[in-house]
Amino acid sequence: MSDESKAAETPAEEQVSESKPAEEPAKPEAGEQEKPADEVVEPEFSITGSLPEPRTGILAILAGGVLALDVLTKVLSVAFLEGADPIKLFGGVLYLTFVRNPGAAFGLAEGMTWILALIALGVAGFILWISRNLRSQPWAVGLGLVLGGAVGNLADRLFREPGPMRGHVVDFLSLFDPFGQVWPVFNVADMAIVSGGATIIVLALLRHDYDGTVHKDAPAPVAQDGLQESK
């Protein structure tokens, strides 16, 4: 049988369906504007699901490392710096000195150690609570630093003299002056809290969420009637 006879036997309906063009998606009417929502971009995904891998391990390791370093340096400070003259380092940029701080930085809240202890407990509890959905590595770093520092100073307030919830924090680092006249004497926990807090502020300004999402503004909509006039 020839090709022409085969084409003749093809049903008319089938030929019409093959030549029928695909339907175009409906376009918005003139004057209407699309209302795009903010884009949400997730930086990385798990091969087992749609969410990034949890980052609680990073938080725990970093917080534990900060706490261990803070406790070790404070023990050494009590053993070798208490009652001794300040030690000058780096040409006077840094001094090792010894201070028992009953309040917060800059000499604030002296005599209110129990309030500072409650604040530290609240911060640690809040970080542990949101860590259930922690899927951002930068956030894990920032929160781990803050958690380790908060627990380090909290341990002083709970276990050092003069008593539980009233203990004085051990500080031993001073910048440019041996007695904290330029900058308040601080410790490893204070450095971790400041660094972690700065990291969290930067991430918040960049609109990075602790659950791994990144928010970006969608492009401004263009009026359809303006496009038609330009055509």
Side-chain angles (χ1 to χ4, degrees), residues 49-230:
S50 60
L51 293 175
E53 295 291 344
R55 302 299 183 183
T56 51
I58 298 176
L59 182 146
I61 293 173
L62 191 56
V66 169
L67 177 60
L69 182 61
D70 181 63
V71 171
L72 175 61
T73 53
K74 287 175 178 176
V75 169
L76 294 175
S77 298
V78 173
F80 297 103
L81 296 177
E82 189 172 19
D85 294 332
I87 300 174
K88 183 178 180 180
L89 299 176
F90 309 114
V93 175
L94 180 67
Y95 287 86
L96 298 181
T97 187
F98 187 87
V99 174
R100 290 187 183 270
N101 183 7
F106 300 100
L108 300 176
E110 289 190 16
M112 302 178 66
T113 307
W114 65 275
I115 295 180
L116 298 174
L118 291 177
I119 293 174
L121 281 171
V123 170
F126 177 74
I127 292 175
L128 293 176
W129 179 69
I130 67 173
S131 67
R132 300 174 302 169
N133 298 318
L134 180 62
R135 299 180 183 275
S136 168
Q137 183 170 336
W139 267 92
V141 172
L143 292 175
L145 290 171
V146 173
L147 179 60
V151 174
N153 283 339
L154 176 62
D156 281 7
R157 294 189 171 103
L158 291 177
F159 302 114
R160 292 192 183 275
E161 297 179 354
M165 300 296 287
R166 297 179 292 114
H168 295 175
V169 175
V170 171
D171 293 329
F172 58 92
L173 298 171
S174 181
L175 295 174
F176 308 112
D177 182 85
F179 304 106
Q181 299 299 316
V182 177
W183 189 262
V185 185
F186 57 96
N187 55 39
V188 172
D190 296 332
M191 290 191 296
I193 292 172
V194 172
S195 301
T199 301
I200 292 172
I201 291 173
V202 171
L203 291 172
L205 292 176
L206 294 176
R207 304 182 70 183
H208 289 233
D209 284 348
Y210 65 89
D211 62 357
T213 58
V214 180
H215 296 272
K216 294 183 179 180
D217 292 331
V222 179
Q224 295 295 326
D225 54 354
L227 290 176
Q228 292 179 356
E229 291 178 1
S230 62

